[in-house]
C-alpha cells in the first residue's frame, strides 16, 4: 500500500484504536470492580478460618466456571438479548463491552482466588489468632500478601481482553479487529493485516512490561 492509501486510512486507524481502548477500559473496569471481590468471596467461603459456606462457595464456583467454559464467540451471540436491553444495540464497541465484561469478571476472579491460595497457611493462622476482624485481616494481610499475584492477574486479564476485543470486531464490535477484517481481509490488503498484528503485539508487550514492573514493586520478597 502506498503512502496516500495510509494517509486515507489514518482516520480509520485512530477510530479503531479509540474503539479498542473503549472496549478494554469498560470491560477491565468491570472486572476490577466485580471480579476482584468475587475472587475474594470464592476464597473466603472455602476457608475454615474465615467464612466457610459450602453452598455459597459451590454456587459462585459453578457460575464462574460456567461462564469461563463458554467460547467467547458463542458468548457474544448468547448475550445479544442482554446487550440489547442494556445498551439498546448489538453492534459497536459499547455493545461489545457487555460480553467482554461478562467474560472478564469470572476470569479475573479465578486468578485472584489462585493468588490468595498461594498465601502460606501459617500467615493466615497467625492473623486469625490475633483476634482481628475479618475486614482488618483482608486489608492488612490478604491484600498485601496476594498483591503481586493480583497485579499479575490483572495483566493477564488485560491481555486476554485485548485479544477478545479484536475477536469482537468480527461481529461488528469495531476496533482493531474490525479494521483488519474490513480493510485487510475483505480488500486483500495484506499489509493492513500485518500492521494490525504488529500493533497488537506491541500493545501486549507494553501491557506485560507495565504489569511486570508493577508486580515487582509490590512484591515484598523482591529487593528493590
Amino acid at each position: 500500500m502506498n503512502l496516500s492509501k495510509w494517509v486515507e486510512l489514518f482516520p480509520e486507524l485512530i477510530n479503531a484504536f479509540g474503539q479498542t481502548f473503549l472496549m478494554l477500559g469498560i470491560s477491565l473496569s468491570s472486572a476490577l470492580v466485580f471480579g476482584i471481590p468475587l475472587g475474594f468471596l470464592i476464597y473466603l467461603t472455602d476457608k475454615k478460618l474465615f467464612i466457610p459456606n459450602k453452598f455459597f462457595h459451590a454456587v459462585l464456583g459453578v457460575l464462574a466456571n460456567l461462564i469461563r467454559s463458554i467460547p467467547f464467540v458463542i458468548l457474544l451471540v448468547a448475550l445479544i438479548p442482554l446487550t440489547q436491553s442494556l445498551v439498546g444495540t448489538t453492534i459497536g464497541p459499547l455493545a461489545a463491552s457487555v460480553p467482554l465484561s461478562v467474560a472478564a469478571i469470572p476470569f479475573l476472579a479465578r486468578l485472584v482466588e489462585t493468588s490468595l491460595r498461594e498465601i502460606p497457611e501459617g500467615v493466615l493462622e497467625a492473623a486469625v489468632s490475633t483476634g482481628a476482624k475479618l475486614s482488618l485481616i483482608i486489608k492488612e494481610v490478604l491484600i498485601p500478601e496476594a498483591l503481586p499475584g493480583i497485579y499479575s492477574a490483572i495483566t493477564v486479564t488485560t491481555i486476554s481482553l485485548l485479544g477478545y476485543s479484536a475477536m469482537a470486531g468480527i461481529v461488528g464490535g469495531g476496533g482493531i479487529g474490525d479494521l483488519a477484517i474490513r480493510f485487510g481481509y475483505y480488500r486483500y490488503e495484506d499489509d493492513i493485516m500485518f500492521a494490525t498484528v504488529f500493533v497488537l503485539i506491541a500493545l501486549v508487550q507494553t501491557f506485560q512490561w507495565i504489569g511486570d514492573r508493577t508486580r515487582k514493586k509490590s512484591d515484598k520478597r523482591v529487593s528493590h
Side-chain angles (χ1 to χ4, degrees), residues 39-118:
F40 271 85
L41 272 176
I42 293 174
Y43 172 76
L44 292 172
T45 53
D46 191 43
K47 298 294 289 185
K48 293 181 179 179
L49 292 172
F50 300 119
I51 47 174
N53 189 316
K54 291 183 179 180
F55 175 77
F56 197 51
H57 173 78
V59 170
L60 292 177
V62 168
L63 286 175
N65 291 337
L66 178 65
I67 296 173
R68 290 171 64 227
S69 66
I70 302 174
F72 182 67
V73 173
I74 297 177
L75 193 64
L76 275 170
V77 177
L79 291 178
I80 284 177
L82 176 63
T83 302
Q84 179 70 44
S85 64
L86 289 177
V87 300
T89 182
T90 58
I91 60 173
L94 193 59
S97 298
V98 174
L100 281 169
S101 298
V102 172
I105 290 169
F107 185 85
L108 180 57
R110 279 302 193 185
L111 293 177
V112 169
E113 180 201 0
T114 300
S115 300
L116 289 166
R117 291 190 183 279
E118 292 176 353

Side-chain angles (χ1 to χ4, degrees), residues 11-35:
E12 293 282 352
L13 285 169
I14 297 300
N15 186 51
F17 273 106
Q19 291 177 337
T20 294
F21 281 105
L22 175 62
M23 289 186 283
L24 195 60
I26 293 174
S27 56
L28 183 59
S29 297
S30 299
L32 294 176
V33 171
F34 298 105

Side-chain angles (χ1 to χ4, degrees), residues 168-221:
I170 300 174
V171 292
I176 297 175
D178 177 61
L179 181 75
I181 294 297
R182 286 191 295 114
F183 289 89
Y185 180 73
Y186 291 148
R187 298 187 183 184
Y188 302 101
E189 298 283 2
D190 291 339
D191 46 356
I192 294 181
M193 293 288 288
F194 293 140
T196 302
V197 172
F198 175 80
V199 168
L200 289 173
I201 291 173
L203 286 174
V204 168
Q205 292 296 325
T206 301
F207 291 149
Q208 188 66 59
W209 180 81
I210 294 172
D212 288 343
R213 294 273 297 179
T214 306
R215 176 185 57 78
K216 288 179 180 178
K217 287 184 178 181
S218 67
D219 195 340
K220 298 181 294 183
R221 296 166 296 182

